[in-house]
Amino acid sequence: MPRPLVIVSGRHRPHEILLLVVSLITGIAYTIGAPPPQSIAALLPGWALHVWSAGLAVSGAIGLVGVYSRRPWSLQLEQAGMLVGAGSLVWYCAAVTPLGWRALFAGGIAFAWAAANVVRAVQIRRDLRGPR
């Protein structure tokens, strides 16, 4: 009889870390003055652009600290990063919605990213609550 295949999944998911890094870099760049996408700049007032970009930067920063630290509160920090990121991404989706089908691709990617953040936050919540 063949031995069963054991797959051990780690806490770190490479795609999650990649998106947190992208969020951090993008958020910092737009916050310190890089020109934001024209679709967003045309639809949002300046203060709303700063909320969006700061949310991306904060999400990436606290999410990465949560992923790489080994403290008792690390998972809560990662979860907070996921939820702040989801909020910023939904903010983006709401901003490009008036563009209609022209924003379907960008809005779809942002919405899928936000949904993935929420799914990860729910997974963390379930892990923190333990078996029931």
Side-chain angles (χ1 to χ4, degrees):
M1 177 160 52
R3 294 176 51 182
L5 176 64
V6 176
I7 299 173
V8 178
S9 65
R11 186 168 164 235
H12 298 121
R13 292 156 180 82
H15 56 281
E16 177 187 350
I17 294 170
L18 170 71
L19 291 174
L20 286 169
V21 169
V22 167
S23 181
L24 177 65
I25 291 170
T26 305
I28 289 173
Y30 293 149
T31 299
I32 63 172
Q38 290 182 354
S39 58
I40 288 282
L43 296 169
L44 289 179
W47 68 268
L49 278 169
H50 290 296
V51 168
W52 169 67
S53 62
L56 287 176
V58 167
S59 167
I62 65 175
L64 286 169
V65 170
V67 164
Y68 284 112
S69 64
R70 295 287 182 212
R71 304 280 187 224
W73 40 262
S74 295
L75 278 175
Q76 288 95 337
L77 203 57
E78 182 183 345
Q79 182 183 36
M82 294 293 108
L83 293 174
V84 170
S88 291
L89 292 162
V90 168
W91 189 275
Y92 176 87
C93 292
V96 298
T97 297
L99 297 175
W101 64 270
R102 294 175 294 166
L104 186 61
F105 184 72
I109 288 174
F111 185 77
W113 184 358
N117 281 0
V118 170
V119 167
R120 178 64 182 140
V122 169
Q123 287 173 344
I124 292 170
R125 181 168 192 249
R126 198 175 318 125
D127 289 347
L128 291 173
R129 292 178 78 177
R132 293 195 150 222

